[in-house]
């Protein structure tokens, strides 16, 4: 195996243990978004209202898993179920004002955490790192056949 690829694997494993989304200690139980809700809200925000079937396809998850996630998000007031804006039969989920506010708050906290990690990095290193992460993610999406919409 290519040593550089082994290094990427190892660093990716280490990265996954840090939990940057849990940037405010103790808040996870008190209303901070779980990882699945953060990703769900991010996708609905960028793509617009989505049905369970569309979410299932986008995330490659079973519809029952998405039903549990969307039900929890609805109970928390983060999404609401609406008729299909295009007139289709399936009901869709739309992010609420509370969902948008909560997502913005989470994103701001995550960005602040990343800023603390990279505080001593030159700007060009941060930009290069962002380009490499985007390239890595888009290649994963291409291989999986599930592109993620980007602004």
């Amino acid at each position: 195996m290519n040593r550089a690829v082994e290094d990427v694997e190892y660093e990716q494993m280490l990265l996954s243990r840090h939990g940057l989304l849990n940037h405010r200690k103790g808040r996870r139980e008190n209303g901070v978004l779980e990882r699945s809700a953060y990703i769900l809200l991010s996708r609905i925000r960028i793509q617009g209202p989505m049905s369970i079937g569309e979410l299932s396809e986008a995330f490659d998850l079973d519809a029952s898993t998405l039903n549990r996630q969307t039900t929890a998000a609805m109970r928390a007031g983060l999404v609401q179920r609406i008729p299909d804006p295009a007139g289709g039969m399936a009901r869709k989920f739309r992010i609420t004002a509370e969902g948008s506010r909560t997502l913005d708050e989470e994103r701001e906290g995550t960005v602040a955490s990343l800023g603390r990690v990279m505080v001593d990095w030159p700007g060009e290193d941060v930009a290069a790192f962002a380009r490499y992460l985007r390239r890595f993610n888009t290649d994963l999406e291409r291989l999986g056949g599930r592109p993620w919409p980007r602004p």
Side-chain angles (χ1 to χ4, degrees):
M1 179 179 275
N2 180 323
R3 180 64 198 167
V5 174
E6 289 178 1
D7 290 347
V8 169
E9 178 278 330
Y10 192 78
E11 293 302 326
Q12 183 278 328
M13 178 274 300
L14 291 174
L15 179 63
S16 69
R17 73 188 168 98
H18 290 291
L20 286 171
L21 294 179
N22 195 12
H23 51 84
R24 286 171 283 187
K25 299 242 185 271
R27 288 271 325 268
R28 191 170 288 267
E29 303 83 33
N30 299 322
V32 169
L33 291 174
E34 293 291 333
R35 180 182 164 274
S36 62
Y38 186 87
I39 295 168
L40 176 78
L41 292 177
S42 295
R43 181 63 184 249
I44 292 172
R45 174 185 273 171
I46 193 116
Q47 189 164 335
M50 297 178 75
S51 68
I52 287 290
E54 291 167 332
L55 290 166
S56 179
E57 185 176 321
F59 294 119
D60 193 27
L61 292 173
D62 186 80
S64 64
T65 300
L66 270 306
N67 273 318
R68 284 191 300 276
Q69 291 179 1
T70 55
T71 297
M74 281 190 342
R75 271 193 231 128
L78 304 174
V79 298
Q80 64 185 150
R81 185 174 266 158
I82 61 167
D84 184 347
M89 294 295 291
R91 309 249 313 150
K92 296 202 173 192
F93 293 93
R94 173 176 61 198
I95 192 170
T96 63
E98 176 65 14
S100 285
R101 184 197 63 72
T102 303
L103 182 59
D104 289 342
E105 183 180 294
E106 284 298 300
R107 186 160 283 138
E108 288 169 15
T110 301
V111 168
S113 292
L114 289 167
R116 285 190 298 277
V117 170
M118 297 182 286
V119 68
D120 295 327
W121 291 27
E124 59 272 9
D125 287 358
V126 176
F129 187 57
R131 283 192 308 275
Y132 283 128
L133 278 175
R134 182 181 194 125
R135 181 178 175 186
F136 186 78
N137 276 325
T138 56
D139 284 349
L140 283 171
E141 293 161 11
R142 177 183 47 79
L143 289 172
R146 285 178 200 76
W148 189 276
R150 288 175 169 78

